[in-house]
């Protein structure tokens, strides 16, 4: 199943997806489908999580990459392949190439998370760091292809890639035949397009909802214009869907088959990631949590049973720590307070005693004595607290004021 440049805009069919499924037998896992009691209660109908974060390489990307590389002609394989990616596509191409005995070069941005760089190398690819953003990295990879004859493996804009990703849709129908709505994150559109081809061919009644990060939402204006539109500089922590322009091939499919495209905020992504970790015990990257964010933002808008696709779990631990704190803050589970008090021995211990009574967990304390704003006998204390929610935050504030402390806004 190999395409030339001339026919790279041809559509993808159900037969293509079924062919890809046979090709992926023994390569890609049929990932688990897990029920979510919490989300089901919010939505008012069964909600299932398609756990593609547990796929080999930690995301769905292996599916399309393997199908694309396996379909190359012998002379194309001999020339090697090249790709550009911030992480998930890089790992998919690296492993697929290794399994197929093809030499792979992967260009990654200089700021790519170290775990993703290390994993790509461990899967057998040569990694070259170039540029600060994916667009620069993409240009470098394409230049390398032109110079060396290596085949460029696009992350989403090719029929083979889309057919491979579409195998996820066949699995969903097999694992949850009663499904009424599928919610899936959209970056360039390869996964959503492939899933739509598979599902709509067999179950046209199933509603497919795509989700984009608000700061990287190229599909709404593109769909309104009737053709792919670039949004310039996409900005979101969800690097897996941080794409500034839809792919030409997936755009046509999505415009025809996808029922709705929604957007979610960074706060909603953070809350969704936190929920996946706490309630589903799933480590999911922000892009993979985007369908859950959509369910949380408007739970009654989805007819059940619902399948939410957790498309990847390759999250940088540093980002995970920041996102979890941000998500907890958005839920009112972090509280930062500044207090002015008389500077005397034992003053800080007295404050901590007040907080202990109201069961607030102190994460960090900053004690300032030398500041032009303070009087000779004054000190200022900034406290970062872990709380149990908005009501608990209000209780902590009341307790401090009743103890005589001046809380500075």
């Amino acid at each position: 199943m190999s395409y030339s440049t001339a026919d790279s805009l041809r559509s993808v069919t159900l037969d293509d997806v079924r062919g890809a499924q046979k090709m992926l037998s023994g390569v890609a896992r049929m990932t688990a489908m897990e029920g979510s009691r919490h989300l089901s209660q919010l939505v008012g109908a069964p909600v299932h999580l398609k756990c593609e974060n547990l796929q080999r390489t930690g995301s769905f990307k292996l599916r399309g990459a393997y199908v694309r590389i396996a379909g190359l002609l012998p002379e194309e394989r001999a020339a090697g392949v090249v790709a550009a990616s911030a992480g998930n596509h890089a790992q998919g191409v690296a492993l697929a190439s290794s399994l197929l005995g093809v030499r792979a070069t992967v260009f990654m941005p200089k700021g790519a998370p170290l775990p993703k760089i290390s994993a790509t190398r461990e899967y057998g690819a040569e990694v070259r760091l170039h540029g600060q953003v994916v667009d620069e990295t993409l240009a470098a990879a394409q230049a390398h292809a032109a110079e060396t004859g290596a085949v460029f493996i696009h992350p989403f804009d090719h029929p083979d890639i889309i057919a491979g990703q579409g195998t996820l849709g066949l699995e969903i129908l097999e694992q949850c035949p009663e499904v009424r709505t599928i919610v899936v994150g959209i970056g360039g559109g390869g996964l959503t397009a492939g899933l739509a081809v598979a599902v709509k061919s067999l179950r046209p009644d199933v509603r497919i909802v795509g989700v984009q990060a608000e700061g990287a939402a190229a599909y709404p204006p593109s769909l309104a214009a009737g053709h792919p539109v670039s949004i310039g500089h996409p900005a979101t922590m969800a690097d897996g869907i941080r794409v500034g322009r839809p792919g030409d091939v997936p755009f046509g499919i999505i415009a025809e088959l996808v029922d709705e495209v929604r957007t979610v905020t960074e706060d909603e992504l953070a809350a969704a990631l936190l929920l996946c970790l706490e309630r589903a015990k799933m480590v999911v990257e922000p892009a993979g949590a985007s369908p859950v964010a959509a369910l949380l933002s408007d739970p009654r808008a989805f007819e059940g049973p619902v399948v939410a696709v957790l498309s990847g779990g390759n999250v940088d631990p540093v980002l995970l720590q920041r996102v979890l704190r941000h998500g907890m803050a958005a839920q009112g589970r972090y509280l930062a307070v500044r207090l002015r008090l008389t500077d005397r021995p034992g003053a800080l211990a007295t404050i901590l005693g007040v907080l202990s009574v109201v069961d607030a967990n102190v994460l960090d304390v900053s004690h300032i004595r030398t500041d032009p704003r303070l009087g000779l006998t004054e000190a200022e204390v900034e406290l970062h607290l872990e709380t149990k929610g908005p009501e608990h935050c209000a209780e902590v504030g009341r307790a401090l004021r009743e103890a005589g402390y001046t809380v500075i806004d």
Side-chain angles (χ1 to χ4, degrees), residues 6 54 85 107 115 145 155 203 214 226 267 270 303 324 330 348 393 398:
L54 303 180
S85 167
F107 285 77
R203 287 280 308 280
E214 195 174 73
D267 283 349
E303 181 185 359
L324 290 179
L348 182 58
C393 288
R398 284 195 301 271

Side-chain angles (χ1 to χ4, degrees), residues 310-397:
L310 306 183
S311 58
N314 292 318
V315 58
D316 178 19
V318 176
L319 174 63
L320 179 61
Q321 183 180 42
R322 291 205 314 265
V323 169
L324 290 179
R325 287 203 170 193
H326 186 78
M328 292 180 72
Q331 292 182 1
R333 292 165 59 184
Y334 275 138
L335 177 63
V337 293
R338 286 193 300 137
L339 309 175
R340 193 160 291 178
L341 65 157
T342 301
D343 188 14
R344 57 178 176 77
L348 182 58
T350 303
I351 296 173
L352 299 180
V354 173
L355 296 173
S356 176
V357 170
V358 292
D359 201 24
N361 186 33
V362 179
L363 299 174
D364 191 29
V365 178
S366 177
H367 198 181
I368 302 170
R369 289 187 174 90
T370 56
D371 190 293
R373 298 170 302 162
L374 300 174
L376 183 63
T377 60
E378 288 184 321
E380 190 172 288
V381 174
E382 183 172 341
L383 298 147
H384 293 262
L385 312 172
E386 183 181 1
T387 62
K388 301 171 185 177
E391 292 181 1
H392 192 206
C393 288
E395 181 186 353
V396 171

Side-chain angles (χ1 to χ4, degrees), residues 130-349:
H130 184 91
Q132 300 298 326
V133 296
V134 175
D135 286 345
E136 295 173 356
T137 309
L138 184 64
Q142 290 171 326
H144 176 84
E147 292 168 5
T148 65
V151 179
F152 178 67
I153 307 299
H154 199 283
F156 50 81
D157 205 10
H158 192 281
D160 285 357
I161 295 287
I162 294 169
Q165 320 302 28
T167 59
L168 191 66
L170 297 180
E171 289 183 15
I172 290 173
L173 294 182
E174 180 179 343
Q175 293 172 300
C176 186
E178 69 279 12
V179 63
R180 296 293 301 166
T181 305
I182 298 174
V183 190
V184 58
I186 303 182
L191 172 60
T192 303
L195 187 151
V197 168
V199 172
K200 290 290 190 176
S201 297
L202 297 168
R203 287 280 308 280
D205 59 302
V206 173
R207 184 173 179 80
I208 297 177
V209 179
V211 183
Q212 293 209 284
E214 195 174 73
Y219 266 89
S222 297
L223 292 169
H227 57 83
V229 172
S230 175
I231 60 170
H233 301 285
T236 175
M237 63 180 167
D239 59 338
I241 54 175
R242 190 170 58 218
V243 178
R245 183 186 184 279
D248 292 320
V249 183
F251 175 80
I253 297 170
I254 288 172
E256 179 183 355
L257 298 180
V258 171
D259 297 281
E260 180 185 4
V261 175
R262 289 176 168 249
T263 62
V264 292
T265 66
E266 299 297 285
D267 283 349
E268 289 165 345
L269 285 169
L273 190 149
L274 181 61
L275 183 141
C276 287
L277 188 63
E278 286 191 324
R279 297 299 183 96
K281 314 307 177 190
M282 288 286 173
V283 176
V284 181
E285 61 190 272
S290 59
V292 175
L295 294 178
L296 291 176
S297 67
D298 192 6
R300 297 295 171 168
F302 302 90
E303 181 185 359
V306 176
V307 171
V309 179
L310 306 183
S311 58
N314 292 318
V315 58
D316 178 19
V318 176
L319 174 63
L320 179 61
Q321 183 180 42
R322 291 205 314 265
V323 169
L324 290 179
R325 287 203 170 193
H326 186 78
M328 292 180 72
Q331 292 182 1
R333 292 165 59 184
Y334 275 138
L335 177 63
V337 293
R338 286 193 300 137
L339 309 175
R340 193 160 291 178
L341 65 157
T342 301
D343 188 14
R344 57 178 176 77
L348 182 58

